[in-house]
Amino acid sequence: MNNGNFFKHKDSYKYDGELSALIWKIFNFPRYRLITLPTPLEKTSNISKDLGIRLYIKRDDVMELALGGNKVRKLEFILADALAKGCDTLITRGAFHSNHARLTAAAARKAGLDMYLVLTPPGSPDLQGNILLNKLLGAKMVHVKDHTEADKVMQELADKLKAQGKKPYIIPAGGASPHGVLGYIYASLEIMQQLYTIEEKPRYIVLATGTGTTQAGLLLGLKLLGVDYVEVVGICVSMSSDETRNRVYKLIQDTINLLNIDMKINYSDIIVYGDYLFGGYGEVTSEVVNSMKYAALKEGLILDPVYTAKAMYGLIDLVKRKYIEKGSTVVFLHTGGTPIPFQLSKIIEKYL
Ligand SMILES: *Cc1c(COP(=O)(O)O)cnc(C)c1O
Protein backbone atom coordinates (compact mmCIF):
# COMPACT_ATOMS: atom_id res chain seq x y z
CA MET A 1 0.00 0.00 0.00
CA ASN A 2 2.96 2.32 0.32
CA ASN A 3 3.36 1.94 -3.41
CA GLY A 4 1.01 4.11 -5.40
CA ASN A 5 0.64 1.64 -8.26
CA PHE A 6 -1.37 -0.83 -6.29
CA PHE A 7 -4.85 0.43 -7.13
CA LYS A 8 -3.96 2.34 -10.21
CA HIS A 9 -5.92 1.91 -13.39
CA LYS A 10 -4.10 2.50 -16.62
CA ASP A 11 -6.13 5.32 -18.12
CA SER A 12 -7.86 6.92 -15.20
CA TYR A 13 -5.82 7.40 -12.18
CA LYS A 14 -5.21 10.08 -9.67
CA TYR A 15 -2.50 9.57 -7.18
CA ASP A 16 -1.20 11.77 -4.50
CA GLY A 17 0.37 11.13 -1.17
CA GLU A 18 -2.59 12.49 0.70
CA LEU A 19 -5.02 9.95 -0.75
CA SER A 20 -2.60 7.19 0.00
CA ALA A 21 -2.43 8.33 3.62
CA LEU A 22 -6.22 8.25 3.87
CA ILE A 23 -6.38 4.72 2.50
CA TRP A 24 -3.70 3.68 4.95
CA LYS A 25 -5.84 5.17 7.70
CA ILE A 26 -8.70 2.82 6.74
CA PHE A 27 -6.38 -0.20 6.71
CA ASN A 28 -5.16 0.72 10.16
CA PHE A 29 -8.55 1.44 11.68
CA PRO A 30 -9.28 -1.04 14.51
CA ARG A 31 -11.04 -4.03 13.00
CA TYR A 32 -12.09 -7.25 14.71
CA ARG A 33 -11.42 -9.93 12.13
CA LEU A 34 -14.36 -12.23 11.58
CA ILE A 35 -13.64 -13.60 8.11
CA THR A 36 -10.97 -14.24 5.52
CA LEU A 37 -10.74 -11.54 2.87
CA PRO A 38 -10.97 -11.03 -0.04
CA THR A 39 -14.28 -12.69 -0.87
CA PRO A 40 -14.46 -14.14 -4.40
CA LEU A 41 -15.14 -12.08 -7.49
CA GLU A 42 -16.98 -14.34 -9.93
CA LYS A 43 -17.26 -13.84 -13.67
CA THR A 44 -20.60 -14.80 -15.17
CA SER A 45 -20.79 -16.10 -18.70
CA ASN A 46 -24.47 -16.85 -19.28
CA ILE A 47 -25.94 -13.68 -17.75
CA SER A 48 -23.22 -11.62 -19.43
CA LYS A 49 -24.12 -13.08 -22.81
CA ASP A 50 -27.84 -12.73 -22.19
CA LEU A 51 -27.62 -9.06 -21.21
CA GLY A 52 -24.74 -7.99 -23.45
CA ILE A 53 -22.58 -6.75 -20.57
CA ARG A 54 -19.52 -8.06 -18.74
CA LEU A 55 -21.02 -9.05 -15.42
CA TYR A 56 -18.99 -9.92 -12.35
CA ILE A 57 -20.47 -10.90 -9.03
CA LYS A 58 -18.73 -9.86 -5.84
CA ARG A 59 -19.58 -12.75 -3.57
CA ASP A 60 -20.05 -11.19 -0.15
CA ASP A 61 -22.45 -14.06 0.51
CA VAL A 62 -19.40 -16.32 0.65
CA MET A 63 -17.93 -15.90 4.12
CA GLU A 64 -17.18 -18.36 6.87
CA LEU A 65 -19.15 -16.69 9.65
CA ALA A 66 -22.71 -18.04 10.03
CA LEU A 67 -23.55 -18.00 6.29
CA GLY A 68 -22.09 -14.53 5.76
CA GLY A 69 -23.40 -11.37 4.14
CA ASN A 70 -22.65 -7.65 4.00
CA LYS A 71 -23.32 -7.13 7.73
CA VAL A 72 -20.15 -9.05 8.57
CA ARG A 73 -17.90 -6.40 7.03
CA LYS A 74 -19.71 -3.69 8.99
CA LEU A 75 -19.55 -5.73 12.20
CA GLU A 76 -15.77 -6.08 11.95
CA PHE A 77 -15.42 -2.35 12.60
CA ILE A 78 -18.44 -2.02 14.90
CA LEU A 79 -17.18 -4.85 17.10
CA ALA A 80 -13.72 -3.31 17.32
CA ASP A 81 -15.36 -0.08 18.51
CA ALA A 82 -17.50 -1.93 21.06
CA LEU A 83 -14.47 -3.81 22.42
CA ALA A 84 -12.38 -0.64 22.56
CA LYS A 85 -15.13 0.90 24.68
CA GLY A 86 -15.08 -2.10 27.02
CA CYS A 87 -18.62 -3.22 26.15
CA ASP A 88 -19.83 -6.71 27.00
CA THR A 89 -23.29 -6.88 25.46
CA LEU A 90 -24.52 -6.03 21.95
CA ILE A 91 -28.09 -4.85 21.41
CA THR A 92 -29.56 -4.42 17.96
CA ARG A 93 -32.84 -4.50 16.13
CA GLY A 94 -34.12 -5.74 12.81
CA ALA A 95 -36.98 -7.33 10.91
CA PHE A 96 -38.10 -10.85 11.71
CA HIS A 97 -35.99 -12.13 8.80
CA SER A 98 -33.02 -9.81 9.57
CA ASN A 99 -29.61 -10.97 8.38
CA HIS A 100 -28.06 -8.24 10.47
CA ALA A 101 -29.60 -9.67 13.66
CA ARG A 102 -28.34 -13.19 12.91
CA LEU A 103 -24.84 -11.97 12.07
CA THR A 104 -24.69 -9.72 15.14
CA ALA A 105 -25.51 -12.78 17.25
CA ALA A 106 -22.81 -14.84 15.53
CA ALA A 107 -20.20 -12.07 15.74
CA ALA A 108 -21.02 -11.53 19.41
CA ARG A 109 -20.49 -15.24 20.11
CA LYS A 110 -17.17 -15.22 18.30
CA ALA A 111 -16.00 -12.23 20.33
CA GLY A 112 -17.35 -13.68 23.58
CA LEU A 113 -20.04 -11.03 24.07
CA ASP A 114 -23.66 -11.34 25.08
CA MET A 115 -26.43 -10.10 22.77
CA TYR A 116 -30.07 -9.05 22.54
CA LEU A 117 -32.03 -8.90 19.29
CA VAL A 118 -35.16 -6.76 19.16
CA LEU A 119 -37.22 -8.02 16.22
CA THR A 120 -40.23 -6.55 14.45
CA PRO A 121 -43.05 -8.35 12.60
CA PRO A 122 -44.55 -9.34 10.28
CA GLY A 123 -43.06 -12.78 10.17
CA SER A 124 -44.05 -16.40 10.06
CA PRO A 125 -43.83 -18.11 13.45
CA ASP A 126 -41.97 -21.02 11.82
CA LEU A 127 -38.60 -21.84 13.31
CA GLN A 128 -36.81 -21.30 10.00
CA GLY A 129 -34.04 -19.31 8.33
CA ASN A 130 -32.56 -16.49 10.38
CA ILE A 131 -34.90 -17.08 13.33
CA LEU A 132 -33.74 -20.69 13.55
CA LEU A 133 -30.10 -19.59 13.47
CA ASN A 134 -30.72 -16.88 16.10
CA LYS A 135 -32.13 -19.58 18.39
CA LEU A 136 -29.20 -21.85 17.70
CA LEU A 137 -26.81 -18.99 18.50
CA GLY A 138 -28.57 -18.54 21.82
CA ALA A 139 -29.61 -14.99 21.03
CA LYS A 140 -32.00 -13.34 23.44
CA MET A 141 -34.85 -12.30 21.14
CA VAL A 142 -37.44 -9.71 22.08
CA HIS A 143 -40.43 -9.31 19.75
CA VAL A 144 -42.05 -5.89 19.38
CA LYS A 145 -44.62 -4.35 17.07
CA ASP A 146 -42.68 -1.72 15.10
CA HIS A 147 -39.45 0.28 14.65
CA THR A 148 -40.40 3.02 17.09
CA GLU A 149 -41.12 0.53 19.82
CA ALA A 150 -37.95 -1.36 18.92
CA ASP A 151 -35.79 1.75 19.44
CA LYS A 152 -37.49 2.38 22.78
CA VAL A 153 -37.04 -1.22 23.89
CA MET A 154 -33.34 -1.18 22.91
CA GLN A 155 -32.79 1.92 25.05
CA GLU A 156 -34.71 0.41 27.99
CA LEU A 157 -32.68 -2.78 27.73
CA ALA A 158 -29.45 -0.78 27.69
CA ASP A 159 -30.52 1.20 30.77
CA LYS A 160 -31.48 -1.98 32.61
CA LEU A 161 -28.17 -3.65 31.78
CA LYS A 162 -26.22 -0.58 32.88
CA ALA A 163 -28.06 -0.61 36.20
CA GLN A 164 -26.84 -4.21 36.57
CA GLY A 165 -23.25 -3.09 36.03
CA LYS A 166 -23.04 -4.31 32.42
CA LYS A 167 -21.72 -2.37 29.46
CA PRO A 168 -24.19 -2.51 26.57
CA TYR A 169 -23.52 -1.27 23.04
CA ILE A 170 -26.46 -0.41 20.80
CA ILE A 171 -25.96 -1.11 17.10
CA PRO A 172 -28.45 0.72 14.86
CA ALA A 173 -30.62 -1.40 12.57
CA GLY A 174 -28.61 -2.83 9.69
CA GLY A 175 -25.32 -1.73 11.28
CA ALA A 176 -26.03 1.75 9.92
CA SER A 177 -23.28 3.63 11.73
CA PRO A 178 -20.04 5.29 10.55
CA HIS A 179 -18.11 2.25 11.77
CA GLY A 180 -20.40 0.12 9.61
CA VAL A 181 -19.62 2.34 6.61
CA LEU A 182 -15.89 1.64 7.10
CA GLY A 183 -16.55 -2.01 6.23
CA TYR A 184 -17.55 -1.03 2.71
CA ILE A 185 -14.87 1.58 2.26
CA TYR A 186 -12.55 -1.35 2.82
CA ALA A 187 -14.58 -3.51 0.40
CA SER A 188 -14.37 -0.90 -2.35
CA LEU A 189 -10.58 -1.05 -2.19
CA GLU A 190 -10.80 -4.83 -2.37
CA ILE A 191 -13.14 -4.79 -5.39
CA MET A 192 -10.96 -2.34 -7.32
CA GLN A 193 -7.86 -4.35 -6.56
CA GLN A 194 -9.48 -7.58 -7.77
CA LEU A 195 -10.65 -5.96 -11.00
CA TYR A 196 -7.31 -4.30 -11.55
CA THR A 197 -5.58 -7.65 -11.25
CA ILE A 198 -7.67 -9.09 -14.10
CA GLU A 199 -7.39 -5.85 -16.13
CA GLU A 200 -11.07 -5.01 -15.98
CA LYS A 201 -12.31 -1.47 -15.67
CA PRO A 202 -15.75 -1.33 -14.08
CA ARG A 203 -18.41 1.22 -15.04
CA TYR A 204 -21.09 0.27 -12.52
CA ILE A 205 -21.42 -1.42 -9.16
CA VAL A 206 -25.03 -2.47 -8.57
CA LEU A 207 -26.34 -3.44 -5.14
CA ALA A 208 -29.44 -3.74 -2.96
CA THR A 209 -29.72 -0.68 -0.74
CA GLY A 210 -31.59 -0.78 2.55
CA THR A 211 -30.17 1.51 5.24
CA GLY A 212 -27.66 2.89 2.71
CA THR A 213 -24.60 1.92 4.76
CA THR A 214 -23.10 -0.34 2.12
CA GLN A 215 -23.65 2.20 -0.64
CA ALA A 216 -22.19 5.01 1.49
CA GLY A 217 -19.04 2.94 2.07
CA LEU A 218 -18.57 2.09 -1.60
CA LEU A 219 -19.05 5.72 -2.66
CA LEU A 220 -16.66 7.06 -0.08
CA GLY A 221 -14.11 4.33 -0.75
CA LEU A 222 -14.03 5.01 -4.49
CA LYS A 223 -13.70 8.70 -3.79
CA LEU A 224 -10.74 7.99 -1.49
CA LEU A 225 -9.13 6.01 -4.29
CA GLY A 226 -9.67 8.83 -6.73
CA VAL A 227 -11.83 6.57 -8.92
CA ASP A 228 -14.37 8.78 -10.66
CA TYR A 229 -15.50 6.51 -13.51
CA VAL A 230 -17.58 4.02 -11.49
CA GLU A 231 -21.25 4.62 -10.78
CA VAL A 232 -22.51 3.01 -7.61
CA VAL A 233 -26.12 2.14 -8.36
CA GLY A 234 -28.34 1.38 -5.38
CA ILE A 235 -31.58 -0.50 -5.90
CA CYS A 236 -33.88 0.49 -3.04
CA VAL A 237 -35.40 -2.42 -1.14
CA SER A 238 -36.94 -0.67 1.84
CA MET A 239 -37.34 3.12 1.48
CA SER A 240 -38.22 5.50 -1.35
CA SER A 241 -35.36 6.78 -3.49
CA ASP A 242 -35.43 10.22 -1.80
CA GLU A 243 -35.34 8.79 1.71
CA THR A 244 -32.60 6.35 0.73
CA ARG A 245 -30.49 9.10 -0.84
CA ASN A 246 -30.84 11.20 2.33
CA ARG A 247 -29.72 8.26 4.47
CA VAL A 248 -26.69 7.57 2.29
CA TYR A 249 -25.75 11.25 2.37
CA LYS A 250 -26.06 11.46 6.15
CA LEU A 251 -24.00 8.29 6.68
CA ILE A 252 -21.29 9.67 4.40
CA GLN A 253 -21.16 12.93 6.37
CA ASP A 254 -20.99 11.05 9.69
CA THR A 255 -18.17 8.88 8.39
CA ILE A 256 -16.22 11.87 7.08
CA ASN A 257 -16.52 13.28 10.62
CA LEU A 258 -15.40 10.01 12.21
CA LEU A 259 -12.33 9.85 9.95
CA ASN A 260 -11.75 13.56 10.37
CA ILE A 261 -10.97 13.99 6.69
CA ASP A 262 -11.56 16.75 4.21
CA MET A 263 -13.74 15.21 1.56
CA LYS A 264 -17.01 15.99 -0.12
CA ILE A 265 -19.52 13.77 -1.90
CA ASN A 266 -22.13 15.53 -4.02
CA TYR A 267 -25.74 14.71 -3.38
CA SER A 268 -26.11 14.12 -7.13
CA ASP A 269 -23.43 11.39 -7.04
CA ILE A 270 -25.75 9.22 -4.97
CA ILE A 271 -27.59 7.12 -7.56
CA VAL A 272 -30.58 5.18 -6.29
CA TYR A 273 -33.58 3.62 -8.02
CA GLY A 274 -36.83 3.25 -6.14
CA ASP A 275 -38.69 1.44 -8.95
CA TYR A 276 -37.98 -2.09 -7.80
CA LEU A 277 -39.52 -2.24 -4.34
CA PHE A 278 -42.33 -4.58 -5.48
CA GLY A 279 -44.74 -3.64 -2.73
CA GLY A 280 -42.12 -2.65 -0.14
CA TYR A 281 -39.61 -4.10 2.26
CA GLY A 282 -39.92 -7.86 2.59
CA GLU A 283 -42.79 -8.12 0.10
CA VAL A 284 -42.43 -10.97 -2.36
CA THR A 285 -44.09 -10.91 -5.78
CA SER A 286 -43.90 -13.11 -8.88
CA GLU A 287 -41.31 -10.70 -10.39
CA VAL A 288 -39.07 -11.21 -7.37
CA VAL A 289 -39.28 -15.00 -7.56
CA ASN A 290 -38.70 -14.85 -11.33
CA SER A 291 -35.52 -12.91 -10.66
CA MET A 292 -34.41 -15.62 -8.20
CA LYS A 293 -35.17 -18.25 -10.86
CA TYR A 294 -33.26 -16.29 -13.53
CA ALA A 295 -30.05 -16.21 -11.47
CA ALA A 296 -30.45 -19.85 -10.46
CA LEU A 297 -31.08 -21.10 -14.01
CA LYS A 298 -28.42 -18.97 -15.69
CA GLU A 299 -25.58 -19.23 -13.19
CA GLY A 300 -26.57 -21.62 -10.40
CA LEU A 301 -26.62 -18.50 -8.27
CA ILE A 302 -28.90 -18.30 -5.24
CA LEU A 303 -30.50 -14.94 -4.48
CA ASP A 304 -32.86 -14.01 -1.66
CA PRO A 305 -36.31 -12.45 -2.17
CA VAL A 306 -35.88 -9.47 0.21
CA TYR A 307 -32.66 -7.93 -1.10
CA THR A 308 -30.54 -9.48 -3.84
CA ALA A 309 -33.37 -10.70 -6.14
CA LYS A 310 -34.81 -7.18 -6.26
CA ALA A 311 -31.36 -5.75 -6.98
CA MET A 312 -30.85 -8.27 -9.81
CA TYR A 313 -34.26 -7.38 -11.24
CA GLY A 314 -33.20 -3.74 -11.18
CA LEU A 315 -29.89 -4.50 -12.87
CA ILE A 316 -31.60 -6.40 -15.72
CA ASP A 317 -34.20 -3.68 -16.17
CA LEU A 318 -31.60 -0.90 -16.18
CA VAL A 319 -29.77 -2.74 -18.98
CA LYS A 320 -33.06 -3.03 -20.88
CA ARG A 321 -33.77 0.65 -20.31
CA LYS A 322 -30.27 1.40 -21.65
CA TYR A 323 -29.27 3.18 -18.47
CA ILE A 324 -26.53 0.57 -18.11
CA GLU A 325 -24.54 0.65 -21.34
CA LYS A 326 -24.18 -2.49 -23.42
CA GLY A 327 -20.67 -3.89 -23.38
CA SER A 328 -19.80 -2.25 -20.08
CA THR A 329 -18.24 -4.00 -17.12
CA VAL A 330 -20.71 -4.30 -14.26
CA VAL A 331 -20.17 -5.60 -10.74
CA PHE A 332 -23.20 -6.97 -8.94
CA LEU A 333 -22.57 -6.99 -5.20
CA HIS A 334 -24.11 -10.12 -3.72
CA THR A 335 -24.84 -8.90 -0.22
CA GLY A 336 -25.94 -12.23 1.27
CA GLY A 337 -29.30 -13.27 2.69
CA THR A 338 -28.67 -17.01 2.30
CA PRO A 339 -31.13 -18.11 5.06
CA ILE A 340 -34.04 -15.98 3.79
CA PRO A 341 -35.31 -18.27 0.99
CA PHE A 342 -35.82 -20.93 3.66
CA GLN A 343 -37.55 -18.56 6.03
CA LEU A 344 -39.90 -17.28 3.30
CA SER A 345 -40.29 -20.62 1.48
CA LYS A 346 -44.09 -20.62 1.72
CA ILE A 347 -44.40 -17.29 -0.12
CA ILE A 348 -41.77 -18.27 -2.69
CA GLU A 349 -43.56 -21.55 -3.35
CA LYS A 350 -46.62 -19.66 -4.59
CA TYR A 351 -44.67 -18.37 -7.60
CA LEU A 352 -42.31 -21.26 -8.31
C1 LIG B 1 -28.86 -5.51 5.05
C2 LIG B 1 -28.79 -6.06 3.68
C3 LIG B 1 -28.74 -5.21 2.55
C4 LIG B 1 -28.79 -3.72 2.66
O1 LIG B 1 -27.59 -3.17 3.12
P1 LIG B 1 -27.56 -1.67 3.67
O2 LIG B 1 -26.16 -1.44 4.01
O3 LIG B 1 -28.47 -1.63 4.86
O4 LIG B 1 -28.07 -0.78 2.61
C5 LIG B 1 -28.64 -5.79 1.30
N1 LIG B 1 -28.63 -7.13 1.16
C6 LIG B 1 -28.69 -7.98 2.19
C7 LIG B 1 -28.70 -9.44 1.93
C8 LIG B 1 -28.78 -7.47 3.50
O5 LIG B 1 -28.86 -8.33 4.53
Side-chain angles (χ1 to χ4, degrees):
M1 266 319 301
N2 51 3
N3 145 11
N5 292 325
F6 199 49
F7 290 108
K8 149 174 153 180
H9 199 284
K10 291 184 279 297
D11 35 314
S12 175
Y13 176 62
K14 278 190 238 163
Y15 172 75
D16 63 53
E18 219 169 300
L19 277 181
S20 162
L22 287 176
I23 293 162
W24 192 235
K25 196 166 180 168
I26 303 295
F27 273 99
N28 281 297
F29 217 91
R31 177 177 146 227
Y32 187 91
R33 299 196 183 210
L34 295 167
I35 45 161
T36 313
L37 293 174
T39 58
L41 181 74
E42 177 188 12
K43 186 174 170 46
T44 70
S45 44
N46 302 321
I47 297 183
S48 289
K49 202 186 292 167
D50 194 38
L51 300 181
I53 57 174
R54 304 167 66 79
L55 180 70
Y56 288 84
I57 304 183
K58 176 61 173 168
R59 297 294 304 268
D60 272 6
D61 59 322
V62 180
M63 295 176 177
E64 63 267 49
L65 182 72
L67 305 183
N70 65 341
K71 303 309 179 303
V72 177
R73 287 187 189 267
K74 307 181 193 183
L75 283 162
E76 286 198 322
F77 289 95
I78 292 170
L79 215 51
D81 186 47
L83 292 170
K85 289 178 172 141
C87 296
D88 52 25
T89 309
L90 303 180
I91 303 173
T92 198
R93 74 162 167 90
F96 203 70
H97 53 251
S98 170
N99 299 309
H100 167 67
R102 176 238 323 164
L103 289 164
T104 299
R109 285 297 173 209
K110 203 160 157 99
L113 305 179
D114 205 0
M115 89 298 288
Y116 288 85
L117 308 176
V118 182
L119 302 176
T120 49
S124 131
D126 295 352
L127 193 60
Q128 254 300 358
N130 282 318
I131 287 284
L132 172 67
L133 299 178
N134 293 344
K135 275 257 163 81
L136 195 56
L137 290 160
K140 299 187 185 79
M141 290 187 269
V142 184
H143 299 277
V144 300
K145 68 173 195 302
D146 58 25
H147 292 176
T148 320
E149 196 190 340
D151 282 330
K152 207 177 101 217
V153 168
M154 284 204 295
Q155 196 51 58
E156 284 167 4
L157 261 172
D159 293 343
K160 202 173 89 191
L161 290 166
K162 273 188 216 154
Q164 294 168 4
K166 298 238 171 161
K167 287 201 130 194
Y169 185 100
I170 295 181
I171 304 174
S177 72
H179 285 92
V181 172
L182 295 181
Y184 273 87
I185 294 182
Y186 192 101
S188 70
L189 313 183
E190 189 180 301
I191 292 169
M192 291 311 289
Q193 185 201 346
Q194 282 176 316
L195 288 162
Y196 177 70
T197 308
I198 54 170
E199 297 195 21
E200 278 283 5
K201 184 178 175 182
R203 267 286 279 131
Y204 310 92
I205 299 177
V206 181
L207 73 152
T209 288
T211 64
T213 320
T214 305
Q215 188 166 358
L218 292 174
L219 271 165
L220 205 47
L222 293 174
K223 186 89 175 179
L224 283 170
L225 285 174
V227 170
D228 55 8
Y229 49 84
V230 176
E231 288 183 29
V232 179
V233 181
I235 308 294
C236 302
V237 297
S238 63
M239 295 176 289
S240 72
S241 52
D242 282 347
E243 267 179 286
T244 307
R245 199 178 286 108
N246 288 339
R247 293 287 184 98
V248 173
Y249 192 75
K250 169 89 169 53
L251 281 160
I252 287 175
Q253 295 316 311
D254 292 349
T255 310
I256 286 173
N257 291 339
L258 172 73
L259 292 171
N260 193 21
I261 55 176
D262 183 21
M263 184 144 284
K264 200 172 144 31
I265 301 267
N266 295 322
Y267 198 75
S268 57
D269 289 342
I270 303 170
I271 302 164
V272 289
Y273 282 88
D275 317 335
Y276 309 105
L277 276 158
F278 298 110
Y281 182 59
E283 297 294 328
V284 180
T285 65
S286 61
E287 290 93 336
V288 178
V289 176
N290 283 339
S291 170
M292 290 176 74
K293 281 200 246 176
Y294 178 82
L297 296 182
K298 289 283 180 204
E299 301 288 343
L301 181 72
I302 306 304
L303 302 179
D304 83 284
V306 178
Y307 303 96
T308 51
K310 290 183 180 179
M312 180 59 81
Y313 190 103
L315 186 156
I316 295 168
D317 196 55
L318 290 171
V319 173
K320 285 189 190 148
R321 282 163 60 186
K322 300 195 166 57
Y323 166 77
I324 290 179
E325 262 173 63
K326 289 270 178 192
S328 57
T329 299
V330 183
V331 177
F332 178 79
L333 176 61
H334 193 317
T335 41
T338 306
I340 296 186
F342 304 98
Q343 194 165 345
L344 303 186
S345 63
K346 292 213 176 83
I347 313 166
I348 295 169
E349 192 186 359
K350 279 205 275 183
Y351 304 109
L352 271 181

